[in-house]
């Protein structure tokens, strides 16, 4: 097997559990290979570190799949990994027929994402080395999870960096891609074909439940509401009025369907607008809400853009605080990995200073348990959800 030899001093992070090997960490490659092949990673003393797939066209040259020198990467390997991931979800996911079945590196299957929505699966293979095994993966998902249908959502731009085409379509027999899932007693429409990412944001499932007890009898503002998931939970938990804001008209159409589906149409309304602009306009109009929810898309996908992200997060948090009376609640989120937890809290505190408000931390939350965080792989720690009381 081809050997990838690490530079001296570069093995510590990788040997400590991080699955990515960058091109600059490689001293030499011994043997021939084709992109996507399985290779062995060793340190500068030729000690085994791991085994994974290689793609020299990618900045992440090798993604490690196993640390066991005796374990071969074959169909049985994928069967064990998928079976283990599925058994874990059956233990940690409650009150929902939707979950993330496989979360890439955190399930030791780098660049593989599988989400379950009711009886159907949405699948992404985001790197060349996992894409070459996708027929085996499809077969095993059918065998282990036994869905009624599967949909391939390989329309993600990161595939271009791997030299892969963008592909979407049914895996096997076609079906209606708009499905209805149940989550904690609430129904949601999920569009596997046209929805954002794999169709729905599963990682906030447990964080939405943090609204319980905080919103009863309240007026709630849900910014960047997308298809209205936080709005539905707020209404379920007793909010008297919920206003959802989003710039995407198709997402708001789904949000309105969700409200009607759950019988919440009389208490939920949605407005198509830029949430930044609307927050400023509401402040000028001296609007007040008892609870403000901020769940924006990622403001940065790289370290280079972090300064702009800080400004964006500060702006929406400052405006959100100004719409709250003393004792009101702010639920504020970031899904930007590069906006680390401590940095995010500093930005929120800075916004509070400028708004002349004081903050009391109610809860500091992360992503749902079906998006496990691998301690040796910080990139899997991406979602922050901070519940605050504002004075």
């Amino acid at each position: 097997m081809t050997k990838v030899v690490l530079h001296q001093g570069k093995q510590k992070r990788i040997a400590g559990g991080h699955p990515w090997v960058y091109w600059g960490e490689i001293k030499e490659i011994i043997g021939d290979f084709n992109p996507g092949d399985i290779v062995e990673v060793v340190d500068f003393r030729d000690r085994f570190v791991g085994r994974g797939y290689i793609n020299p066209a990618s900045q992440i040259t090798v993604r490690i799949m196993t640390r066991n020198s005796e374990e071969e990467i074959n169909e049985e390997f994928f069967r064990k990994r998928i079976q283990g991931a599925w058994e874990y979800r059956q233990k940690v996911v409650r009150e929902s027929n939707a979950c993330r079945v496989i979360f890439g590196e955190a399930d030791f299957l780098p660049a593989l994402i599988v989400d379950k929505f009711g009886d159907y699966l949405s699948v992404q293979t985001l790197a060349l080395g996992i894409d070459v095994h996708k027929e085996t993966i499809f077969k095993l998902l059918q065998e282990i999870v036994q869905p009624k249908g599967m949909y391939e959502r390989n329309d993600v731009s990161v595939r271009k960096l791997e030299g892969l085409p963008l592909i979407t379509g049914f895996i096997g027999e076609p079906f209606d891609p708009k499905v209805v899932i149940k989550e904690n007693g609430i129904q949601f429409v999920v569009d596997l074909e046209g929805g954002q990412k794999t169709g729905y944001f599963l990682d906030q499932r447990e964080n939405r439940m943090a609204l319980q007890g905080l919103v009863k009898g309240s007026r709630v503002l849900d910014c960047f509401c997308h298809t209205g998931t936080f709005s539905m939970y707020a209404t379920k938990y007793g909010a008297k009025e919920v206003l959802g804001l989003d710039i995407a008209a198709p997402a708001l159409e789904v949000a309105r369907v969700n409200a009607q589906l759950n019988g919440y149409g009389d208490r939920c309304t949605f407005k198509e607008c830029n949430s930044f602009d609307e927050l400023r306009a509401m402040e000028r109009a001296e609007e007040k809400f008892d609870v403000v929810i901020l769940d924006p898309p990622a403001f940065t996908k790289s370290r280079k853009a972090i300064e702009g992200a800080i400004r964006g997060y500060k702006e929406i948090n400052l405006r959100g605080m100004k719409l709250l009376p003393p004792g009101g609640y702010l639920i504020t989120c970031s899904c930007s990995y590069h906006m680390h937890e401590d940095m995010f809290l500093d930005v929120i505190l800075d916004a509070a200073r400028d708004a002349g408000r004081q903050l009391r931390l109610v809860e500091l939350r992360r992503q749902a348990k079906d998006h496990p965080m691998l301690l040796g792989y910080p990139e899997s720690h991406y979602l922050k959800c901070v519940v605050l009381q504002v004075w």
Side-chain angles (χ1 to χ4, degrees):
M1 183 178 291
T2 300
K3 278 189 181 182
V4 173
V5 184
L6 301 175
H7 280 294
Q8 185 173 353
K10 296 294 184 181
Q11 77 281 0
K12 186 175 179 182
R13 175 184 60 84
I14 300 160
H18 202 291
W20 294 350
V21 180
Y22 293 100
W23 181 255
E25 295 170 323
I26 296 171
K27 179 183 178 183
E28 61 178 328
I29 300 175
I30 302 171
D32 297 327
F33 67 91
N34 292 314
D37 282 355
I38 301 299
V39 297
E40 196 166 280
V41 179
V42 298
D43 68 11
F44 67 100
R45 290 181 175 149
D46 200 38
R47 293 177 297 197
F48 179 83
V49 174
R51 188 173 288 137
Y53 56 79
I54 188 169
N55 184 5
S58 172
Q59 184 183 4
I60 305 167
T61 308
V62 180
R63 299 179 196 243
I64 293 175
M65 303 179 79
T66 181
R67 308 278 173 161
N68 182 350
S69 61
E70 304 298 317
E71 190 169 39
E72 298 299 322
I73 312 296
N74 52 26
E75 184 172 321
E76 186 55 28
F77 167 87
F78 283 102
R79 179 177 282 104
K80 287 179 181 177
R81 285 284 198 270
I82 294 170
Q83 184 69 50
W86 180 228
E87 288 175 358
Y88 169 76
R89 271 61 184 192
Q90 290 174 301
K91 291 179 179 177
V92 302
V93 177
R94 296 283 179 270
E95 303 300 324
S96 180
N97 65 352
C99 68
R100 176 148 293 183
V101 177
I102 297 171
F103 185 39
E105 282 80 347
D107 282 301
F108 314 107
L109 288 167
L112 176 61
I113 302 294
V114 180
D115 285 344
K116 179 179 181 290
F117 299 112
D119 294 322
Y120 302 92
L121 298 182
S122 180
V123 186
Q124 294 178 322
T125 50
L126 303 178
L128 174 62
I130 202 74
D131 195 71
V132 298
H133 298 283
K134 72 179 183 181
E135 295 306 321
T136 297
I137 291 165
F138 295 161
K139 170 191 166 187
L140 293 171
L141 286 169
Q142 190 67 54
E143 174 189 314
I144 293 165
V145 185
Q146 299 181 359
K148 288 184 179 177
M150 295 190 285
Y151 196 87
E152 183 174 2
R153 279 298 302 267
N154 276 326
D155 52 352
V156 187
S157 60
V158 71
R159 280 175 59 93
K160 293 180 181 178
L161 302 176
E162 294 276 331
L164 292 168
L166 303 188
I167 301 170
T168 62
F170 295 100
I171 302 164
E173 291 297 313
F175 55 90
D176 184 351
K178 288 188 176 178
V179 302
V180 177
I181 64 167
K182 294 180 181 177
E183 184 180 287
N184 296 309
I186 309 174
Q187 296 182 87
F188 294 102
V189 174
V190 177
D191 184 356
L192 277 71
E193 183 178 40
Q196 204 164 345
K197 295 194 175 178
T198 60
Y200 180 85
F201 296 108
L202 293 159
D203 51 5
Q204 290 276 30
R205 182 194 314 106
E206 293 160 23
N207 296 333
R208 295 173 193 129
M209 296 177 72
L211 296 177
Q212 191 168 15
L214 301 182
V215 297
K216 190 172 183 180
S218 295
R219 188 177 189 223
V220 178
L221 178 65
D222 182 10
C223 300
F224 310 95
C225 69
H226 194 236
T227 57
T229 47
F230 270 106
S231 296
M232 295 306 109
Y233 274 78
T235 313
K236 172 186 168 66
Y237 293 141
K240 67 179 180 182
E241 178 189 340
V242 180
L243 172 60
L245 311 178
D246 205 276
I247 201 166
L252 291 179
E253 287 178 20
V254 177
R256 293 184 183 102
V257 171
N258 286 335
Q260 294 298 326
L261 192 61
N262 291 283
Y264 299 157
D266 58 335
R267 287 186 285 158
C268 280
T269 56
F270 298 95
K271 183 176 182 180
E272 182 185 345
C273 61
N274 180 306
S275 291
F276 282 89
D277 295 340
E278 192 66 16
L279 283 166
R280 285 191 287 266
M282 285 178 166
E283 182 193 341
R284 288 194 298 270
E286 299 184 349
E287 289 260 24
K288 289 295 177 189
F289 295 86
D290 304 297
V291 178
V292 173
I293 302 164
L294 303 171
D295 184 23
F299 286 164
T300 175
K301 295 183 184 298
S302 70
R303 287 191 185 91
K304 293 177 182 177
I306 196 68
E307 287 187 15
I310 288 171
R311 288 193 296 271
Y313 284 117
K314 181 178 177 181
E315 168 74 7
I316 61 172
N317 280 279
L318 185 151
R319 302 299 168 193
M321 291 175 200
K322 288 189 173 184
L323 297 180
L324 290 165
Y329 290 91
L330 177 69
I331 292 88
T332 180
C333 308
S334 168
C335 60
S336 304
Y337 159 68
H338 294 287
M339 176 61 64
H340 297 158
E341 194 172 90
D342 289 347
M343 186 186 298
F344 188 47
L345 291 173
D346 285 343
V347 171
I348 295 167
L349 184 57
D350 195 27
R353 290 192 194 101
D354 284 5
R357 308 301 292 269
Q358 293 192 75
L359 304 177
R360 186 156 68 178
L361 181 65
V362 180
E363 278 191 275
L364 181 56
R365 305 180 61 88
R366 292 175 178 159
Q367 63 238 39
K369 297 183 187 72
D370 56 350
H371 293 63
M373 295 179 287
L374 196 61
L375 292 186
Y377 173 55
E379 288 80 356
S380 63
H381 313 190
Y382 70 96
L383 182 61
K384 286 77 60 180
C385 177
V386 188
V387 183
L388 299 155
Q389 191 175 30
V390 180
W391 292 96

